[in-house]
Amino acid sequence: MPTERFYNLPAGKKNIIKEAAMSEFANVPFEKASINKIIKAAGISRGSFYTYFEDKHDILAYIFEDVGEHFQDTWKECAEKSNGDLWKTIDHFMDESVFTTKEKFIQLMKNIVDGVQLFGVTNHLSKEAINEQLPILNIMYESIDKSKFKDQSIEAFGVLISMLFFEMFKGLEWYFVHPEDKDKIKKVFNKKLEIFQYGICKQELI
């Protein structure tokens, strides 16, 4: 993770460095990303970079951390607006977060997923990711009304959320190729939400 010196920088300076790194990670696969290009775009020295980060994994971790904070705030707002209804929350989240995600970040994620050093990237971040993801999952879980769920455990909730977000990001990929299809994407996604919520099989009376 970044050093305390980096966190003490003015917000504007941190954002410049983050944006420079995101641009580089979006342009090339992660393993080919150049620290020299990042520091040139950010207008900092190589020495300064290494007082802020150990390596490019550290700045990637900060990007994920920053996105995670935005994600958390947006989720809570959507859940409050939806009175804890999971399906309405997901629908609002699609509109207020997913459709406003920068294309640069999506390309960054694709480059990381497609990179030949994917395990190196994810393993390096694994401890930090686990520490960050558990509180976020707890916040998501606590913000939702689970009274109608057959299984109200956080484990089942986590599985459901992972499936819902998988479908959401499939729609996001489609959107960035064909932004004119936004209404069609929402229609398909809402149909999937309906199946998740009510199932596909007829309910037999016992």
Side-chain angles (χ1 to χ4, degrees):
M1 295 297 289
T3 64
E4 185 177 349
R5 184 169 181 177
F6 174 77
Y7 284 112
N8 287 334
L9 289 174
K13 186 67 173 179
K14 285 189 290 188
N15 191 60
I16 289 171
I17 296 171
K18 182 191 73 173
E19 290 293 326
M22 285 183 64
S23 293
E24 177 63 9
F25 295 151
N27 286 334
V28 296
F30 182 79
E31 70 276 8
K32 294 183 179 180
S34 167
I35 289 176
N36 286 334
K37 290 183 179 179
I38 293 172
I39 62 178
K40 183 177 180 181
I44 60 174
S45 69
R46 191 172 184 84
S48 293
F49 179 90
Y50 284 108
T51 64
Y52 304 148
F53 312 101
E54 181 177 339
D55 52 27
K56 60 188 178 184
H57 292 86
D58 266 3
I59 194 166
L60 180 64
Y62 174 70
I63 291 170
F64 285 159
E65 176 188 330
D66 188 62
V67 170
E69 290 177 1
H70 175 72
F71 172 98
Q72 181 176 304
D73 291 342
T74 303
W75 177 272
K76 288 192 293 187
E77 290 173 7
C78 292
E80 289 173 6
K81 184 185 297 185
S82 306
N83 295 316
D85 183 294
L86 174 62
W87 315 104
K88 291 180 180 177
T89 298
I90 288 285
D91 188 52
H92 286 313
F93 190 87
M94 183 84 164
D95 285 332
E96 297 182 20
S97 181
V98 174
F99 282 131
T100 61
T101 301
K102 292 182 178 178
E103 186 171 4
K104 179 164 57 178
F105 183 72
I106 301 305
Q107 187 58 50
L108 178 155
M109 292 302 297
K110 286 181 180 178
N111 282 344
I112 291 171
V113 170
D114 292 341
V116 295
Q117 294 187 358
L118 173 62
F119 265 98
V121 174
T122 55
N123 284 345
H124 190 91
L125 297 176
S126 59
K127 291 181 181 179
E128 292 89 347
I130 289 170
N131 290 336
E132 291 295 327
Q133 288 169 7
L134 289 178
I136 291 175
L137 179 61
N138 278 320
I139 287 170
M140 295 172 73
Y141 178 78
E142 293 299 332
S143 67
I144 294 301
D145 177 5
K146 300 167 289 292
S147 60
K148 295 182 180 179
F149 292 4
K150 288 191 292 185
D151 185 339
Q152 298 181 10
S153 68
I154 192 169
E155 292 80 10
F157 181 79
V159 171
L160 176 58
I161 287 295
S162 67
M163 291 190 292
L164 289 172
F165 274 83
F166 176 78
E167 295 300 335
M168 189 182 296
F169 283 109
K170 281 174 64 179
L172 183 58
E173 276 193 306
W174 181 2
Y175 175 67
F176 278 120
V177 177
H178 299 289
E180 71 278 6
D181 287 347
K182 180 178 177 179
D183 290 341
K184 185 187 296 183
I185 293 167
K186 278 296 300 286
K187 184 177 181 180
V188 170
F189 182 69
N190 286 332
K191 185 63 179 178
K192 290 177 179 178
L193 285 184
E194 183 181 331
I195 292 172
F196 274 114
Q197 184 174 4
Y198 299 111
I200 198 68
C201 297
K202 293 180 179 179
Q203 299 298 310
E204 296 183 5
L205 297 176
I206 301 176

